[in-house]
Amino acid sequence: MNFPDFRARRMRRSEGLRRMMRENRLSADNLCYPIFVAGGTNVVKPITSMPGQSVWSVDKATDLAARAYDAGIPAVILFGIPDKKDPVGSEAWSANGHVQRAIKAIKKRCPDLVVSADSCFCEYTDHGHCGVLTEGVLDNDASLENLARTVISYARAGADIVAPSGMLDGFVTACRESLDEEGFEQTAIMAYSAKYASAYYGPFRDAVESAPQHGDRRGYQMDPANGREAVREVNMDVAEGADIVMVKPALAYMDIVRMIADEVNLPLAVYNVSGEYAMIEAAAANGWIDRDRIVLETLTGFRRAGADIIITYHALHAAGLLAKR
Ligand code: PBG
Ligand code: ZN
């Protein structure tokens, strides 16, 4: 049917009609809020390149998680900043690490909040790479052993989900096998399956001081030019037993999000990363864009592209906006 018999504008005339026609919906249920945890007590350290976000001591991180829960957000993901970095990143699996303590405190305060723990070493190593180095190169299999220790320490602390993010080959198998061996067969794995070597991580690396001291991450993270390879990566993680797969970053990779959503029958997460957050905040602070509208439009776009779960620094803000609608 064509104009004038069909008029597309007919169904856009009122908010009621638009609501009827709406194909995708954004809800607080879709959101997962990243929280940075460090040492000390009563510490809130704003992150310059991520206005509105901070690094928190465990007590403050717990308050923040409770705020997220009260705002209707079902899940948080924790990142740790250790007191001391070393060549292997051993604080990552310390039973008394900041993330381990935060998991315990948050689960105690909000038992129904889903607590995930990002599981990687770049925040914990003095060289800033995502595992152990052998002759200056990331040693995949040696790093997997430490990853297994790390996810078990998170599971022991009470994490619902562990989220290996280092783009190590076989990281899902390593996590699943060791979790099951230790009796944590109910601990889920959210795999950073298609994670690109991206400049959009810049502000995050400032926040956790995890920029590689030499070289870069292109030897393990994906080439931004590749699409089919993302499908291979995701399929590997599905075969290894991932419960959730992820595409990261989000905005410049919406085609990948759609491809993966069509390919797999698992929940798909997107990570709306620090640089994406910073761009919106910087433009909004200048009065160049309407922050509230841009935030909801961006997050709704991820839903339209096929994302089920959206990890975003805008989670609290968006949940507030959604509650008002
Ligand atoms: C590290 C890790 C990164 C992010 C989360 N975990 C990126 C990296 O430094 O390679 C990025 C998060 C963000 O930019 O918001 N494994
Ligand atoms: Zn890493």
Side-chain angles (χ1 to χ4, degrees):
M1 232 200 298
N2 250 318
F3 181 81
D5 299 319
F6 181 73
R7 289 176 180 271
R9 291 179 53 193
R10 237 178 338 239
M11 297 302 279
R12 295 180 195 143
R13 281 170 47 241
S14 69
E15 185 52 21
L17 290 168
R18 289 190 292 271
R19 279 174 60 199
M20 280 184 76
M21 296 293 281
R22 195 151 292 148
E23 297 178 32
N24 295 284
R25 270 168 233 283
L26 175 69
S27 145
D29 290 345
N30 303 120
L31 305 175
C32 175
Y33 189 40
I35 297 180
F36 298 106
V37 192
T41 44
N42 204 23
V43 178
V44 181
K45 208 178 119 209
I47 304 167
T48 313
S49 52
M50 300 173 69
Q53 305 303 311
S54 301
V55 176
W56 316 79
S57 52
V58 169
D59 54 324
K60 288 289 176 182
T62 307
D63 292 345
L64 182 64
R67 263 174 63 203
Y69 181 71
D70 291 340
I73 296 168
V76 295
I77 181 164
L78 306 182
F79 293 89
I81 298 142
D83 293 334
K84 272 210 343 260
K85 307 194 186 220
D86 65 27
V88 296
S90 56
E91 237 184 274
W93 62 85
S94 153
N96 250 326
H98 307 319
V99 167
Q100 286 83 352
R101 287 184 301 117
I103 294 168
K104 277 188 208 142
I106 294 169
K107 286 306 289 186
K108 191 163 168 211
R109 174 96 158 262
C110 307
D112 295 333
L113 180 66
V114 175
V115 176
S116 342
D118 181 88
S119 309
C120 198
F121 300 99
C122 43
E123 303 101 298
Y124 295 89
T125 52
D126 50 16
H127 45 74
H129 282 284
C130 299
V132 185
L133 300 181
T134 300
E135 282 160 24
V137 176
L138 186 66
D139 184 331
N140 194 83
D141 300 14
S143 303
L144 288 180
E145 287 178 31
N146 290 343
L147 180 64
R149 292 191 177 98
T150 303
V151 297
I152 285 165
S153 77
Y154 295 150
R156 207 164 267 147
D160 299 287
I161 300 178
V162 295
S165 66
M167 286 304 275
L168 298 166
D169 290 334
F171 65 7
V172 176
T173 297
C175 292
R176 188 71 276 153
E177 280 181 355
S178 44
L179 287 169
D180 288 0
E181 263 166 38
E182 295 291 320
F184 297 111
E185 61 283 321
Q186 296 303 322
T187 306
I189 298 172
M190 174 161 69
Y192 284 68
S193 304
K195 178 176 179 182
Y196 287 87
S198 170
Y200 283 99
Y201 308 147
F204 173 93
R205 290 181 188 176
D206 291 343
V208 305
E209 292 155 27
S210 69
Q213 296 303 301
H214 60 86
D216 53 47
R217 300 211 214 289
R218 286 181 294 179
Y220 38 106
Q221 297 179 348
M222 284 181 55
D223 184 339
N226 293 356
R228 280 183 315 217
E229 189 184 356
V231 178
R232 277 202 307 277
E233 281 281 4
V234 168
N235 281 335
M236 269 172 57
D237 290 353
V238 173
E240 291 178 28
D243 299 283
I244 301 169
V245 294
M246 191 195 300
V247 172
K248 173 184 178 183
L251 272 179
Y253 298 86
M254 295 282 242
D255 55 329
I256 310 297
V257 177
R258 171 46 59 200
M259 252 166 40
I260 302 300
D262 290 341
E263 172 82 12
V264 304
N265 292 314
L266 277 183
L268 172 59
V270 291
Y271 200 135
N272 178 210
V273 299
S274 57
E276 300 170 341
Y277 174 84
M279 291 195 302
I280 291 180
E281 289 303 306
N286 276 292
W288 294 338
I289 55 172
D290 179 334
R291 181 173 182 244
D292 293 354
R293 287 189 57 206
I294 291 260
V295 167
L296 291 180
E297 182 177 334
T298 303
L299 301 183
T300 302
F302 299 144
R303 296 281 294 135
R304 193 194 61 244
D308 304 295
I309 298 160
I310 303 168
I311 302 171
T312 178
Y313 304 100
H314 277 124
L316 259 182
H317 184 64
L321 296 173
L322 290 166
K324 272 189 270 166
R325 274 215 296 219

